[in-house]
Amino acid sequence: MSSKLVQVSVILSLIRTSVVDYYRLPTGYGDWRDDLEAQGYAVVKGAISPEKAQHYQQKAFEWLNTFDPDLDPNNPSTYNADKLPIQTNRNTYEHYAVVHERFMWEARMEPGILDPFEKVWGTHKLLVSFDSLNVTLPNLKPARTPWPHIDQAPRKRGLHCIQGIINLSHAGPEDGSLVVVPGSHKLVERFFDEKTDPSEWEWRDNRYFDDKDMEFFEGQGLSPMKVLAEPGDLILWDSRTIHWGGEPTKKSTVPRTVIYAAYAPAKLASKDAIEEKARVFKVNGATTHWPHDNIKLRDLHAYLPDGTIDPRNRDKPLEKAEHSDRLLKLAGVMAY
Ligand SMILES: *[C@@H]1O[C@H](CO)[C@@H](O)[C@H](O)[C@H]1NC(C)=O
Ligand SMILES: *[C@@H]1O[C@H](CO)[C@@H](O)[C@H](O)[C@H]1NC(C)=O
């Protein structure tokens, strides 16, 4: 290559680095960080102790018991779908201020959960999402068909967001768990460019893939896999990695219990996003999976199937978390 060409390609790669690769994941550590970069997801084993995981799961169960005192999540004969709090269509709980219950905040603030995100982003000045709780009682509802999606708008290029699941229950082959398409984070941009019309790209940080779309990824040799995990494990994934919440099989007996929590550097958030985040915090609301962008207050009320507001609505948590400086900074309410 002539030196002119080398110069041009160096400049081009610099532009690529700053524009396309918004942030480069640290690699070469021989641990989960390499998986996150290469596969688009990773499991941090034992991020919290099994005892802690059990404690948080117990708190989640107790929270359900405030709606149905007779419910024992480990005993299917006690399941009564009509008494459970209203779930989103993704089977998660985000109403009744659950997102701000003390156990949810304590789990998000566990050093073993914060640490991997601090390593990934190279800073402890992070924001956390006000994201939901998932307790799925096995065999209570008909299984949902796979719903492959990413949580990043096609227009956004490079890495923007890393999502997390704090796993509080066993996830074996028969149980509900996260399903990912390893390696898809590196191919979605090509998919959008080659197979879709940019005029149809939405700004929403969410894009579903139908069977036809999935053929592209299968054609590249990729296939879905269920992430198996133990209580206390933390699952991380790049928002560009195709994923969905995998259903338990009929054989599962595990009430799947997970807390969604994503973290990003506070400096990536705009002033507007920070203001909106503080507003959502004040009303004990939930947002999306995103901690620093795409901040929107989700509906505060749960609605009954007949469309009326659930009289069991709560506008504040039953047990309020201690509003320490650390919490307020993670929430975007106090500046770093
Ligand atoms: C919650 O967990 C259940 C069981 O694994 C799963 O079917 C559902 O999709 C999950 N929800 C999300 C948002 O992943
Ligand atoms: C989740 O927790 C269960 C129970 O401890 C464990 O068996 C499973 O491997 C964990 N899954 C992940 C992805 O961390």
Side-chain angles (χ1 to χ4, degrees), residues 18-76:
S18 58
V19 177
V20 179
D21 299 312
Y22 192 70
Y23 177 78
R24 255 183 209 290
L25 284 171
T27 53
Y29 292 90
D31 64 12
W32 53 268
R33 285 172 278 198
D34 296 355
D35 298 338
L36 186 57
E37 198 281 330
Q39 303 297 328
Y41 82 99
V43 179
V44 181
K45 299 303 286 179
I48 57 176
S49 68
E51 293 75 26
K52 279 270 173 73
Q54 207 192 353
H55 163 76
Y56 291 123
Q57 182 179 46
Q58 191 53 38
K59 296 301 287 184
F61 289 174
E62 284 169 18
W63 181 81
L64 286 177
N65 279 139
T66 64
F67 293 87
D68 180 2
D70 299 326
L71 171 70
D72 172 2
N74 291 311
N75 179 357

Side-chain angles (χ1 to χ4, degrees), residues 208-226:
Y208 283 83
F209 297 87
D210 61 22
D211 289 349
K212 180 100 199 358
D213 297 340
M214 292 304 282
E215 281 170 16
F216 170 87
F217 297 95
E218 283 151 21
Q220 304 293 320
L222 303 191
S223 51
M225 62 160 277
K226 190 182 260 189

Side-chain angles (χ1 to χ4, degrees), residues 43 45 167-172 177 227-235:
V43 179
K45 299 303 286 179
N167 180 41
L168 303 177
S169 55
H170 177 77
S177 185
V227 182
L228 303 187
E230 295 306 313
D233 293 350
L234 171 68
I235 311 172

Side-chain angles (χ1 to χ4, degrees), residues 83-279:
K83 285 193 171 178
L84 289 174
I86 302 293
Q87 289 169 294
T88 64
N89 60 2
R90 288 154 282 117
N91 273 351
T92 57
Y93 295 114
E94 64 180 32
H95 304 296
Y96 315 95
V98 66
V99 167
H100 296 279
E101 284 291 345
R102 195 173 109 186
F103 74 92
M104 294 287 281
W105 270 109
E106 286 180 355
R108 290 181 192 118
M109 291 176 59
E110 281 286 342
I113 301 295
L114 286 165
D115 176 73
F117 285 97
E118 292 176 355
K119 286 202 174 108
V120 160
W121 291 116
T123 177
H124 69 276
K125 296 181 179 173
L126 298 174
L127 296 172
V128 69
S129 56
F130 306 150
D131 209 344
S132 51
L133 169 72
N134 188 343
V135 182
T136 300
L137 303 174
N139 297 309
L140 185 59
K141 282 188 179 175
R144 191 177 171 189
T145 51
W147 42 296
H149 68 283
I150 57 172
D151 289 301
Q152 181 165 317
R155 272 170 228 274
K156 278 191 182 150
R157 296 300 165 108
L159 171 77
H160 285 252
C161 186
I162 295 166
Q163 294 171 237
I165 283 183
I166 307 173
N167 180 41
L168 303 177
S169 55
H170 177 77
E174 306 292 342
D175 306 321
S177 185
L178 181 75
V179 177
V180 292
V181 180
S184 52
H185 65 308
K186 295 197 170 166
L187 281 176
V188 281
E189 291 175 6
R190 220 183 95 199
F191 168 80
F192 290 132
D193 291 340
E194 290 179 10
K195 301 283 178 194
T196 66
D197 177 355
S199 70
E200 286 163 11
W201 292 352
E202 293 185 43
W203 278 109
R204 237 161 27 104
D205 280 304
N206 189 269
R207 169 64 158 78
Y208 283 83
F209 297 87
D210 61 22
D211 289 349
K212 180 100 199 358
D213 297 340
M214 292 304 282
E215 281 170 16
F216 170 87
F217 297 95
E218 283 151 21
Q220 304 293 320
L222 303 191
S223 51
M225 62 160 277
K226 190 182 260 189
V227 182
L228 303 187
E230 295 306 313
D233 293 350
L234 171 68
I235 311 172
L236 303 171
W237 72 99
D238 187 319
S239 288
R240 295 170 299 172
T241 303
I242 299 176
H243 64 278
W244 65 92
E247 291 282 342
T249 71
K250 288 244 170 346
K251 288 193 193 139
S252 174
T253 54
V254 173
R256 182 192 188 208
T257 314
V258 304
I259 294 174
Y260 300 90
Y263 303 74
K267 66 167 193 270
L268 297 184
S270 69
K271 199 166 155 276
D272 284 354
I274 292 278
E275 279 169 12
E276 182 62 7
K277 207 169 161 71
R279 200 175 74 82

